[in-house]
Amino acid sequence: MSDKKLDYLQQLESESIHIFREVAGQFEKPALLFSGGKDSIVLVHLALKAFRPGKFPFPLVHIDTGHNFREALDFRDALAEKIGEKLIVRSVEDTIKAKHLTEPKGKFASRNALQTYTLLDTIEEFKFDVCIGGARRDEEKARAKERIFSVRDEFGQWNPKLQRPELWNTYNGKINKGENVRAFPISNWTELDIWNYIRREKIELPSIYFAHDREVLEHEGQLVAISKFITLEEGDQVSVKKVRYRTVGDMTCTAAVQSNASTIDDIITEIIATKTSERGETRIDDKVSEAAMEDRKKNGYF
């Protein structure tokens, strides 16, 4: 047996692979939520290590709001085709029409809250008993309350006071009829860990994560991409700036950061120097209230 100790990235990788295999072993109908963002791309990379040369024991699933960045969607489709895994896409716009939901109004009208309806309908459609996602504890304080196996009730709701202990890397996936679990294999990773792993593993990413020129609206200290999904008003300051994205959500709720970082090394240097979390700096929807994310999660949001 080798006496060589695993470095910290190898330890994180090993834990994540263990979690993937626990999910496959404990649940009958798993799904991997995959958006084409960096965290879900890392999840796919880890799943390849966990299950190849076999096929994934789950499909890739994307809940598409219709407001996504084209770069992320193109990468999503290309990666699913490259690895030969099934991709299921369900549309929030279809849910809005079918359920006669009211579209949010305002300057940055986000469909984020409406994703919950589509996600729960998709879980019901395919009878998924667990959804694997790329949430990390360092992203936002509500996500820091999650366990790695986080149980949702029969209505898809999350109660932060009813979390199961997870001692010695033991995960309890037992659920009652109608309940569902969210599993987070990279919960113990940080943004910096993700980028260091991407560099080490030479993982390809959408171009949106690297510095590029983009037409943006300067709003309350944030840079929001100009698109047909936001409402421009008289006096709005629109300009072309060199930016990149730390996190990729809807175009209506995700701000860019001004940056010249064109390589992974440049990005890592920026992250080390920053004092703000990626969601804290760039997610407009999290600024609605102190408990914006927690409220959405309690209602069934991922």
Side-chain angles (χ1 to χ4, degrees), residues 214-218 223-230 232 236-239 245 251:
R214 189 177 289 266
E215 193 175 25
V216 294
L217 166 66
E218 299 183 48
L223 302 175
V224 185
I226 298 299
S227 73
K228 62 182 180 181
F229 308 122
I230 68 171
L232 291 176
D236 281 340
Q237 298 181 14
V238 177
S239 58
Y245 285 83
M251 297 184 75

Side-chain angles (χ1 to χ4, degrees), residues 149-217:
F149 278 16
S150 183
V151 178
R152 302 300 200 269
D153 67 18
E154 63 270 27
F155 302 106
Q157 296 177 327
W158 172 67
N159 186 340
K161 296 180 179 179
L162 296 178
Q163 297 289 292
R164 296 172 176 177
E166 293 180 334
L167 306 176
W168 305 291
N169 291 336
T170 300
Y171 309 111
N172 179 4
K174 185 176 181 180
I175 55 175
N176 298 314
K177 184 177 176 58
E179 292 180 335
N180 191 269
V181 169
R182 308 288 192 270
F184 303 113
I186 58 172
S187 184
N188 289 328
W189 298 47
T190 66
E191 181 187 15
L192 185 58
D193 296 334
I194 291 291
W195 280 103
N196 279 326
Y197 188 73
I198 287 168
R199 176 172 62 181
R200 192 188 76 174
E201 298 291 308
K202 298 180 173 58
I203 298 172
E204 294 183 13
L205 293 176
S207 60
I208 195 170
Y209 284 106
F210 301 92
H212 58 284
D213 290 328
R214 189 177 289 266
E215 193 175 25
V216 294
L217 166 66

Side-chain angles (χ1 to χ4, degrees), residues 81-94:
E81 182 176 0
K82 177 182 177 181
I83 64 175
E85 296 292 344
K86 182 178 181 180
L87 172 65
I88 296 170
V89 179
R90 288 296 178 267
S91 166
V92 173
E93 189 161 347
D94 289 344

Side-chain angles (χ1 to χ4, degrees), residues 63-289:
I63 305 302
D64 185 354
T65 64
H67 291 173
N68 299 103
F69 288 91
R70 189 70 252 169
E71 295 96 324
L73 294 180
D74 289 345
F75 194 94
R76 175 202 70 186
D77 295 342
L79 182 57
E81 182 176 0
K82 177 182 177 181
I83 64 175
E85 296 292 344
K86 182 178 181 180
L87 172 65
I88 296 170
V89 179
R90 288 296 178 267
S91 166
V92 173
E93 189 161 347
D94 289 344
T95 305
I96 291 170
K97 294 175 181 177
K99 293 183 178 292
H100 305 290
L101 302 176
T102 301
E103 282 261 26
K105 307 295 183 185
K107 190 177 189 69
F108 305 109
S110 172
R111 288 175 171 173
N112 255 6
L114 301 182
Q115 286 184 84
T116 299
Y117 295 95
T118 311
L119 174 60
L120 296 179
D121 285 349
T122 304
I123 289 171
E124 176 61 27
E125 178 184 355
F126 293 96
K127 307 302 179 187
F128 294 134
D129 51 2
V130 59
C131 292
I132 306 162
R136 306 188 324 268
R137 287 180 176 144
D138 71 319
E139 288 180 90
E140 201 275 339
K141 59 187 178 182
R143 286 186 165 167
K145 297 179 181 180
E146 294 269 21
R147 295 294 189 266
I148 289 173
F149 278 16
S150 183
V151 178
R152 302 300 200 269
D153 67 18
E154 63 270 27
F155 302 106
Q157 296 177 327
W158 172 67
N159 186 340
K161 296 180 179 179
L162 296 178
Q163 297 289 292
R164 296 172 176 177
E166 293 180 334
L167 306 176
W168 305 291
N169 291 336
T170 300
Y171 309 111
N172 179 4
K174 185 176 181 180
I175 55 175
N176 298 314
K177 184 177 176 58
E179 292 180 335
N180 191 269
V181 169
R182 308 288 192 270
F184 303 113
I186 58 172
S187 184
N188 289 328
W189 298 47
T190 66
E191 181 187 15
L192 185 58
D193 296 334
I194 291 291
W195 280 103
N196 279 326
Y197 188 73
I198 287 168
R199 176 172 62 181
R200 192 188 76 174
E201 298 291 308
K202 298 180 173 58
I203 298 172
E204 294 183 13
L205 293 176
S207 60
I208 195 170
Y209 284 106
F210 301 92
H212 58 284
D213 290 328
R214 189 177 289 266
E215 193 175 25
V216 294
L217 166 66
E218 299 183 48
H219 177 76
E220 296 181 355
Q222 294 183 307
L223 302 175
V224 185
I226 298 299
S227 73
K228 62 182 180 181
F229 308 122
I230 68 171
T231 304
L232 291 176
E233 300 169 348
E234 187 176 352
D236 281 340
Q237 298 181 14
V238 177
S239 58
V240 176
K241 293 187 180 294
K242 189 172 287 294
V243 300
R244 70 176 184 86
Y245 285 83
R246 291 178 68 184
T247 181
V248 177
D250 277 5
M251 297 184 75
T252 56
C253 67
T254 309
V257 294
Q258 200 157 357
S259 172
N260 291 312
S262 59
T263 68
I264 292 177
D265 285 342
D266 293 340
I267 291 171
I268 288 172
T269 299
E270 280 191 0
I271 294 170
I272 291 172
T274 190
K275 296 181 179 178
T276 309
S277 72
E278 60 189 280
R279 291 190 72 97
E281 183 176 20
T282 65
R283 293 304 287 264
I284 298 169
D285 50 338
D286 287 348
K287 299 181 184 297
V288 174
S289 74

